[in-house]
Amino acid sequence: MTELAIYDMDRTITRTGTFTPFMIHAALRLSPWRLVFVPFAAMVMLAYVCKLIERKRVKELNQAMLIGRRISGARLKPIAESFAEAVMRHNVHAGALQSLADNRAAGRRLVLATASSRIWVEPIAAKLGMDDIIATSAIRGIDDYVSHKVDGENCYGPAKLRMIEAWMGLEGLDRAECHIRFYSDHISDVPVLEWADEAIAANPHGGLRAEAKTRGWAIVDWD
């Protein structure tokens, strides 16, 4: 039996989200003048809240404004590394680190499944000691450019479960031969929580906390 411990990242392992902080972190180092677009980025988010656009489009528009439509991967790499260092210093729940250590010691394969972009998820995952990553990806060109466009699905909601299952297929993992525990803070991850053998609501917001109590799922608070 293969044991997997799959974690959401933003507000599960980290205390806050990472999308907007990374956009600002990168803009300050690449093109500080792009910070004039911050109010417009807020308007894009408002359009999402009003259900005028989908989350995938929010990411594309805000990345285009704050980082650019295409940028060298080599330029982004050290920026992502410095951001990951800041996240590890100031934005990770100590309880999450202990949970990862416990699952690692128990021999479980550690997987990060997050809607955040691989651009900054990869160095964070490396510092967390993750074995595998399932994340939203940007289109990358053969000339090492990174596009603002999302490659495939945004790893969120039902799409996250589809992406986890696709990853398992590529890894040759038979669901029937796996025992899976999944950690998340957000109601959007109910499809994965239902699918997992052990559903763990970690630092859950109000909606997921109520759902977890109703369904008898474990609740942990890492604050």
Side-chain angles (χ1 to χ4, degrees), residues 202-214:
N203 319 307
H205 72 113
L208 181 57
R209 188 176 293 273
E211 189 75 14
K213 288 179 179 177
T214 297

Side-chain angles (χ1 to χ4, degrees), residues 23-25 27-28 31-39 65-66:
M23 292 295 114
I24 293 173
H25 179 90
L28 283 168
S31 305
W33 64 267
R34 288 186 177 274
L35 294 177
V36 301
F37 290 120
V38 168
M65 287 190 287
L66 295 172

